[in-house]
Amino acid sequence: MMRTHYCGDLNSNNVGEKVVLSGWVHKRRDLGGLIFIDMRDREGIVQVCFDPKFQTALDNASCLRNEFCIQIKGQVVPRPDKQVNKNMATGEIEVLAEEVQIYNTSEPLPLDFNQNNTEEQRLKYRYLDLRRPEMAQRLKTRAKITAFVRRFMDDNGFLDIETPMLTKATPEGARDYLVPSRVHKGKFYALPQSPQLFKQLLMMSGFDRYYQIVKCFRDEDLRADRQPEFTQIDVETSFLTASEVREIMEKMVRGLWQNILKVNLGQFPTMTWHEAMQRFGSDKPDLRNPLEIIDISDLMKEVEFKVFHQPANDPKGRVAVIRVPNGSAITRKQIDEYTQFVSIYGAKGLLWLKVNDINGGLDGVQSPITKFLSDTVLKALLQRVKAENGDILFFGADKWQVVTDALGALRLKLGRDLDLTRLDEWKPLWVIDFPMFERDDEGHLAAMHHPFTSPRDFTPQQLISDPTSAVANAYDMVINGYEVGGGSVRIFEPQMQQTVFHILGINEEEQAEKFGFLLDALKFGTPPHAGLAFGLDRLVMLLTGTDNIRDVIAFPKTTAAACLMTDAPSLANPEALSELAIQVAKIENS
């Protein structure tokens, strides 16, 4: 027998038992007549003592070094009272080793478990990085999360159905990863950006509750919470309304937080997209941050100050302010830094006002813009924002999007810099009623979610006549400023789907080529259906307390979509390329 117990599972209830442990040497201490090691496996660490009572084991332990893979046979004994380690789960006991077997020795590690290694080192030697207890714990938690999701889905009547990995390219908002076909030379499969069309087809097939924990692939610009291949908890239902879908999914997420963290998230509030953007400058607001963006355009319409006057009177403009309680201590140097920060988002400057004496009128405030303000406007402004002595106000005045983006980002930065964001809280919410369409960089209409999202209370005719007023029957779940899931009611009528394609500039020929199978399927008694997809990696990231999605994926890619461990991607064998009828263009700097 190679193992009877895991190291981390032993406790005082095991005292007196003979055990067999297999794992790694985590730490070694030679005290002359005694040798102690901390032995580690996936469940934790236990102290092992080598004593002269078992001289052969003691002699063999003299050659043990960190990360040797070993087996220990011995007895669980209580530690002396003065040696109890309350910081270890196994700190009340130790194992008195009677035999030791070395499965394998280890060279000195290229990673230092006690120091901060670079992320490049950690990814290159990922198999070693995963031995670290904190990394092992994250993957164990991930396994608990997926097990909980599967139980929940099964208990609620959902069927786990697989969809293809080799499929056809569809517009999902990012570039596709393409796979060449050897049989059909010159043709390519696409790896799915999501199972969107297949899960809709499953609804048409009568499987009214589907789910899948599935890999998705998107060739897009990366950041800390993105990966080229990621995992979704994919869900679709028939004959359920948007609110009913949200109710089921909220129940699942509340259960997850209770199961993993013993935290009760309570009922999730619901907020429209417009309200989220107006108050927080983001469609995924972090409600742990108490700062809000307050509109003051109406107060600035008659002000002679051009910076405020013009956007206040422009239907596409916005004048708004953030009140920072007790923020008057912010220095001019810090204000200059915040001014530079908002310029990233297109803001031409950052005006400010410090409140020294709320009852002192213009003499009670300090600001470069006081000469443009009347006592009446100032009083209305201070009342609007509920200012108090010691506050500072930061202003944004420009086009609506510029002000919203700049103050939204500034709000988050102020929350971090001034320790205003309550990091020990959980603040979930639903964001609903997104615009159906948005303008891309070239001014063309694009679907804000995807082209299969249904408008709410719009006919095809109304959609054609006024597409920018349409509200999508869509919803996002947001937790602490992260969008963890999003979904919508789907289009289930052929005319509406063709209308949306038409508005997006997809002509009939392209519709038939890319979506002919979907449009055909919609003709045969398609039920009303709605769904949602969670980012599993992002959920795990939140539940394990890290801010980097790579920490919760066993073998992730870098921000350059490369695997440092396997050196992927790599050049292909010329013979394989020839068989696929592919010729690679000359690669610069190869």
Side-chain angles (χ1 to χ4, degrees), residues 105-141:
T105 61
S106 174
E107 295 181 3
L109 297 189
L111 296 181
D112 186 343
F113 279 17
N114 299 313
Q115 301 293 330
N116 290 324
N117 301 286
T118 66
E119 189 165 46
E120 287 74 15
Q121 287 174 301
R122 291 178 56 204
L123 294 179
K124 182 174 178 62
Y125 298 100
R126 188 62 163 187
Y127 46 88
L128 297 177
D129 186 46
L130 292 177
R131 289 185 189 175
R132 295 192 299 124
E134 58 265 42
M135 291 300 295
Q137 185 58 43
R138 287 171 184 149
L139 291 191
K140 285 167 57 183
T141 301

Side-chain angles (χ1 to χ4, degrees), residues 167-444:
T167 182
K168 190 170 186 175
T170 57
E172 296 274 356
R175 291 175 293 272
D176 289 301
Y177 281 102
L178 300 177
V179 179
S181 169
R182 179 185 59 81
V183 177
H184 305 281
K185 287 184 169 50
K187 294 185 177 182
F188 295 81
Y189 301 101
L191 298 179
Q193 294 188 35
S194 80
Q196 181 62 47
L197 295 183
F198 287 105
K199 67 180 181 179
Q200 289 190 243
L201 292 171
L202 287 170
M203 297 303 103
M204 300 168 195
S205 303
F207 299 100
D208 62 313
R209 293 196 178 195
Y210 142 95
Y211 89 98
Q212 189 181 184
I213 298 178
V214 61
K215 281 287 187 186
C216 301
F217 306 86
R218 293 182 186 176
D219 186 3
E220 59 186 347
D221 296 333
L222 303 179
R223 60 187 186 213
D225 60 342
R226 280 183 181 169
Q227 280 282 292
E229 53 177 320
F230 57 95
T231 307
Q232 278 188 184
I233 304 170
D234 202 48
V235 181
E236 197 77 7
T237 68
S238 298
F239 308 116
L240 290 181
T241 64
S243 60
E244 289 171 327
V245 171
R246 292 200 299 270
E247 181 181 353
I248 295 172
M249 294 299 99
E250 181 178 322
K251 181 181 177 183
M252 185 188 80
V253 171
R254 282 203 308 269
L256 258 181
W257 255 252
Q258 187 67 51
N259 183 268
I260 302 297
L261 298 180
K262 303 296 184 275
V263 168
N264 181 6
L265 292 178
Q267 294 293 123
F268 293 13
T270 299
M271 184 181 297
T272 66
W273 176 87
H274 182 75
E275 181 185 355
M277 298 300 287
Q278 289 290 110
R279 293 174 59 191
F280 305 107
S282 171
D283 59 5
K284 47 181 184 294
D286 187 348
L287 300 185
R288 298 172 302 167
N289 181 335
L291 302 179
E292 292 197 22
I293 302 169
I294 302 167
D295 281 290
I296 57 169
S297 294
D298 59 315
L299 302 179
M300 300 297 163
K301 286 183 181 291
E302 305 303 324
V303 171
E304 293 183 5
F305 186 36
K306 184 178 178 181
V307 172
F308 284 172
H309 179 82
Q310 283 190 346
N313 289 279
D314 182 351
K316 296 182 179 179
R318 186 181 189 189
V319 185
V321 63
I322 294 177
R323 176 180 77 90
V324 183
N326 302 311
S328 60
I330 294 175
T331 66
R332 287 299 303 269
K333 180 183 178 184
Q334 290 172 304
I335 291 173
D336 290 342
E337 291 172 354
Y338 289 133
T339 302
Q340 183 64 33
F341 174 76
V342 296
S343 69
I344 299 170
Y345 301 89
K348 301 179 183 68
L350 182 65
L351 294 169
W352 54 273
L353 183 147
K354 292 185 178 183
V355 182
N356 300 322
D357 180 4
I358 195 73
N359 298 314
L362 289 170
D363 293 331
V365 298
Q366 177 188 356
S367 172
I369 62 171
T370 51
K371 60 184 176 182
F372 300 107
L373 302 178
S374 66
D375 278 313
T376 302
V377 169
L378 177 65
K379 183 178 179 181
L381 169 64
L382 297 181
Q383 287 179 342
R384 174 75 56 85
V385 302
K386 297 181 173 62
E388 297 180 2
N389 290 339
D391 292 350
I392 188 171
L393 310 183
F394 287 113
F395 298 86
D398 209 308
K399 294 297 183 183
W400 186 89
Q401 194 67 55
V402 171
V403 172
T404 302
D405 290 347
L407 291 188
L410 179 63
R411 171 183 173 269
L412 295 177
K413 184 168 177 58
L414 288 166
R416 291 190 299 268
D417 291 353
L418 306 178
D419 295 324
L420 298 173
T421 301
R422 300 179 288 267
L423 299 178
D424 59 343
E425 294 185 0
W426 293 102
K427 290 292 184 179
L429 77 154
W430 288 103
V431 178
I432 63 171
D433 293 353
F434 289 78
M436 183 78 176
F437 302 104
E438 58 185 345
R439 298 280 179 185
D440 62 20
D441 293 338
E442 298 176 354
H444 301 134

